[in-house]
Each structure stands twice: as structure tokens, then as C-alpha cells.
Amino acid sequence: MTRDLLLPDALRADVVRALYADANQLGWASLGPQAKTVAFNRWIDDPRVGGRLTSYMSPEQARLWIKDGPMKEYARAMRGSGRFADFGRQGGTSPQDIVNRALGDGAQIEGKIGTKPPHCLAAAGDGTKAYVTWGDASSLKHLLWAAVRGSIEHDAPGHVVVLEPPGTVTPSATAEQQKAVTDRCGLSLHHLRELLGTMTPETDEP
């Protein structure tokens, strides 16, 4: 039985709401490893989180559940996807917005949106097929590998879209370095300022 199944639904929801509210306040996406370790330690001592989880598992197991469950899915949930999507954001930058950035207005997504990393097949306005994958800059190596594999598998050009958090711009030197790498891989690189959606009612602080 997984640790998820050990938890009553209402308790699981309360804990995830508390984690995501804290993570949003902390600016989780921009935290370094040391600051995240501090946050994990605090959560284990927090009566809203560890105080409830440790009725069903050891503190070590609770830490692993937090790290490998809700917080591993945090970025996806904030984009309205993944198994904790109900506790994240809805709306904001959509896959169609991303495909339009890569292929231009009039592009159409073909088939389903894949995950890990997010990707899809799409057709430009002139019918040209393409493989598009996207994520933040920290996942660039995974995006590169996915785009190379996808472009080979589907015999289509590969596009990588780097999402910039709201209010930030990729420094010129970093963007040039990213482009040099994608050029070497035969891929097209794009940057898109991400618009965040609104938090769902599920994320109201318990």
C-alpha cells in the first residue's frame, strides 16, 4: 500500500493545501537546495503537516512523502497538471500559447499533451509538423533530450520553449548559451514569459 493510500482524503487535502500555501509564500521555484532543506525540516515539525502525517507514518516516511509526492509535483500543479492539479493553479499560460510561441499563430496541437517533460506534436499554419516541449530553465537538459528523441521518432523539427517566471527575463548571456546548445542539437529555442493562473479554491489555507 502506498503512503498516499494510507492517508484519509480530507487529511491529505489539508496537508497539500498547507504545503502549497507555504511554498507559494516562500517562492519555491527560486529557492536553493539549502533553503528547501530548511523548509522540509520545518514542515515535519509543523502541526499542520508533520503533526498530522506522523499519525500514519514515521517522520522519515512523512518527509519522503512530502518530497516525492506533493513537492515533486508542485511545478506541474502550479501549471494545472499532474496528480495534485486540484491544489494548484488553473488558467494562465496554456499549451496552445506555448505552441503558438514556437510555431506561430494558427498552429494546432495534434493529439494529447505528454508529460515529463510536457510535450506535444503540433502543426504550424502551413501544415508543417513539429515536436514541441517546454519547461523552466532548470529542466533544460531534460527538454533537450526529449526534443532530440521526439524529433527523431516523429521525423519532425524539434522545438524547446523555456518558460520564464513572471517578472523575470532570461539574461542575454544565458539565452545565448542556451541557443548555442540547442543549435548544436539541431533544435529551435524559444523563450516565453509565463502567466500564472489563479489558485483553485482547494488551495485556500486550512
Side-chain angles (χ1 to χ4, degrees):
M1 179 179 289
T2 67
R3 295 186 183 100
D4 243 9
L5 297 178
L6 291 172
L7 301 174
D9 289 345
L11 182 147
R12 175 179 176 273
D14 287 347
V15 170
V16 176
R17 285 200 300 267
L19 290 170
Y20 283 2
D22 288 355
N24 288 342
Q25 190 172 27
L26 291 168
W28 191 257
S30 62
L31 287 187
Q34 187 173 1
K36 288 183 178 179
T37 297
V38 171
F40 283 123
N41 292 337
R42 285 180 178 166
W43 279 327
I44 294 302
D45 295 331
D46 189 326
R48 302 169 305 152
V49 181
R52 303 190 70 182
L53 293 175
T54 51
S55 296
Y56 298 87
M57 60 188 80
S58 70
E60 292 76 18
Q61 290 171 329
R63 183 186 178 89
L64 282 176
W65 181 82
I66 294 168
K67 183 177 180 182
D68 294 339
M71 295 317 298
K72 188 174 183 178
E73 291 286 323
Y74 174 76
R76 279 189 283 274
M78 291 303 115
R79 291 175 178 140
S81 64
R83 62 191 178 102
F84 291 97
D86 288 346
F87 303 97
R89 296 180 184 274
Q90 301 296 319
T93 299
S94 69
Q96 184 63 57
D97 296 328
I98 293 165
V99 166
N100 288 349
R101 179 69 182 90
L103 305 180
D105 292 339
Q108 295 290 328
I109 294 172
E110 297 192 338
K112 296 180 179 178
I113 305 299
T115 59
K116 298 181 179 180
H119 65 273
C120 69
L121 289 173
D126 63 1
T128 303
K129 308 293 185 185
Y131 179 95
V132 183
T133 186
W134 60 91
D136 55 35
S138 67
S139 62
L140 184 58
K141 67 179 180 181
H142 301 296
L143 302 179
L144 291 171
W145 179 239
V148 169
R149 290 187 60 183
S151 64
I152 293 171
E153 180 180 350
H154 298 286
D155 191 24
H159 293 256
V160 172
V161 180
V162 174
L163 299 176
E164 298 170 325
T168 67
V169 177
T170 304
S172 297
T174 301
E176 290 172 3
Q177 185 181 48
Q178 292 170 345
K179 188 174 187 311
V181 174
T182 51
D183 284 351
R184 180 64 63 92
C185 295
L187 305 169
S188 296
L189 174 69
H190 316 269
H191 291 87
L192 177 63
R193 189 79 49 78
E194 187 172 20
L195 298 176
L196 297 180
T198 56
M199 296 297 288
T200 67
E202 285 291 334
T203 53
D204 288 343
E205 184 74 32

